[in-house]
Amino acid sequence: MELILKKDVEHLGFTDDLVSVKPGYGRNFLIPNGMAVMATSGAKKMLAETLKQRAHKEAANVKAAQEQADQLAALELKIAAKTGDGNKLFGSITTADVSDLLAKNGIEIEKKFISVAGGSIKRLGQYDADVRFHRDVTAKVTFTVVEDK
């Protein structure tokens, strides 16, 4: 079953992508939740026209996203957290904490666009996170979890 996505869907595609999914997934989840529409011939023509008109705006968006990614690469980030025995954290550091840290440094990004290997961090040390600014622009940010004094 071919569908046109109306929203970004994790592990499937981005807005206005033409995707092929199993019929049950499309009929029972994507279409009722407003995430996709059927890819009829008329809808495909409208999509092609929309993408053609959006191409110029998209180039400007990619350039702005690349500038943010370059700005992110220049930052040295540290997250302070309370610790117990053996450098273990009380609680954990998640993508929300990384998003808050980036916001304090002038880069506003939603936590759903940040992925930390393993999902959460429970020890002191240096870690990497992938930040997606645009469908074509991703950056790797390195941050250090230090003891809160």
Side-chain angles (χ1 to χ4, degrees), residues 6-7 21 30 43-44 52-53 58 65 69-70 88 93 95-96 98 100-101 117 136 138 145:
K6 292 296 171 192
K7 296 181 182 176
V21 297
L30 294 174
K44 287 180 183 179
K52 188 189 311 181
Q53 291 175 0
E58 197 67 24
D70 294 341
K88 290 183 180 178
I93 303 296
T95 57
V98 177
D100 292 342
L101 179 66
D136 298 330
T138 59
V145 179

Side-chain angles (χ1 to χ4, degrees), residues 47-97:
L47 176 64
E49 188 62 33
T50 303
L51 292 177
K52 188 189 311 181
Q53 291 175 0
R54 197 180 302 159
H56 296 293
K57 292 179 187 176
E58 197 67 24
N61 289 343
V62 169
K63 184 178 179 183
Q66 189 61 50
E67 288 173 1
Q68 277 190 319
D70 294 341
Q71 179 185 2
L72 180 66
L75 292 177
E76 184 177 315
L77 304 171
K78 291 185 181 180
I79 298 176
K82 294 184 180 184
T83 61
D85 294 335
N87 294 333
K88 290 183 180 178
L89 301 181
F90 289 126
S92 63
I93 303 296
T94 62
T95 57
D97 298 315

Side-chain angles (χ1 to χ4, degrees), residues 1 3 20-27:
M1 162 181 253
L3 299 174
S20 181
V21 297
K22 291 186 177 184
Y25 182 52
R27 277 194 313 269

Side-chain angles (χ1 to χ4, degrees), residues 80-130:
K82 294 184 180 184
T83 61
D85 294 335
N87 294 333
K88 290 183 180 178
L89 301 181
F90 289 126
S92 63
I93 303 296
T94 62
T95 57
D97 298 315
V98 177
S99 177
D100 292 342
L101 179 66
L102 292 175
K104 288 178 186 174
N105 286 288
I107 299 173
E108 294 288 332
I109 190 89
E110 290 184 43
K111 68 180 183 176
K112 69 180 181 180
F113 299 127
I114 300 171
S115 65
V116 176
S120 63
I121 297 166
K122 299 185 186 252
R123 292 191 168 274
L124 297 179
Q126 190 168 3
Y127 297 94
D128 292 326
D130 292 322

